[in-house]
């Protein structure tokens, strides 16, 4: 049993996006790139413990990339500033944000693993 108190999500986001597209996270400071089929945003309480999960970014939240369990692919530190967001049909397709120690750009892009005819 793990001694770390961390949230584990075993459910998928419903009403999200299709597998034809993925989320691509680019850390602008050093060029690191991570991809994910889904993303979620975690809110923390005043002592740094998990409080709530959200579908949209906001100051004070962290980005968590799927899968949503102890094997997640990437988690950012807390957002300090949202520089830019882009929506399409009321869905987030791009966001640039600054965290405690990095600047990121998250984009919803075509999945390069899907064969196009």
């Amino acid at each position: 049993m793990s001694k770390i108190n961390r949230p584990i999500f075993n459910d998928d986001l419903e009403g999200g996006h299709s597998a034809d597209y993925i989320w691509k996270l680019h850390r602008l400071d050093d060029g690191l790139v991570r991809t994910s089929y889904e993303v979620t945003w975690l809110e923390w309480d005043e002592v740094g413990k998990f409080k709530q999960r959200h579908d949209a970014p906001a100051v004070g939240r962290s980005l968590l990339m799927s899968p949503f369990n102890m094997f997640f692919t990437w988690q950012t530190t807390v957002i300090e500033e949202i520089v830019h967001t882009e929506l399409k049909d009321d869905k987030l397709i791009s966001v640039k944000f600054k965290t405690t120690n990095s600047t990121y750009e998250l984009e919803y892009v075509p999945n390069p693993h899907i064969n196009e005819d």
Side-chain angles (χ1 to χ4, degrees):
M1 177 186 277
S2 173
K3 294 182 181 181
I4 298 174
N5 183 12
R6 60 181 171 217
I8 297 175
F9 304 108
N10 292 321
D11 57 331
D12 292 328
L13 292 177
E14 293 187 21
H17 301 281
S18 86
D20 293 340
Y21 284 79
I22 59 170
W23 290 101
K24 179 179 174 185
L25 181 68
H26 182 213
R27 188 166 59 194
L28 302 179
D29 306 318
D30 63 2
L32 174 111
V33 174
R34 296 280 189 239
T35 59
S36 178
Y37 284 105
E38 297 289 348
V39 296
T40 195
W41 305 89
L42 305 180
E43 181 181 357
W44 308 98
D45 69 13
E46 55 281 344
V47 294
K49 289 189 177 184
F50 172 76
K51 183 176 179 181
Q52 189 172 355
R53 186 178 88 178
H54 298 275
D55 293 331
V59 171
R61 296 178 185 169
S62 298
L63 168 69
L64 182 68
M65 301 182 82
S66 67
F68 302 126
N69 58 35
M70 69 177 109
F71 303 109
F72 63 88
T73 58
W74 193 259
Q75 180 179 339
T76 68
T77 54
V78 174
I79 296 173
E80 293 185 343
E81 177 186 357
I82 295 179
V83 178
H84 171 76
T85 58
E86 185 177 347
L87 302 172
K88 183 177 181 181
D89 299 327
D90 295 327
K91 290 187 180 182
L92 181 70
I93 60 168
S94 175
V95 59
K96 182 177 181 180
F97 59 95
K98 294 181 181 182
T99 67
T100 308
N101 44 355
S102 299
T103 301
Y104 292 95
E105 187 165 30
L106 178 69
E107 298 176 286
Y108 193 57
V109 298
N111 186 344
H113 302 293
I114 301 292
N115 293 327
E116 295 188 34
D117 295 333

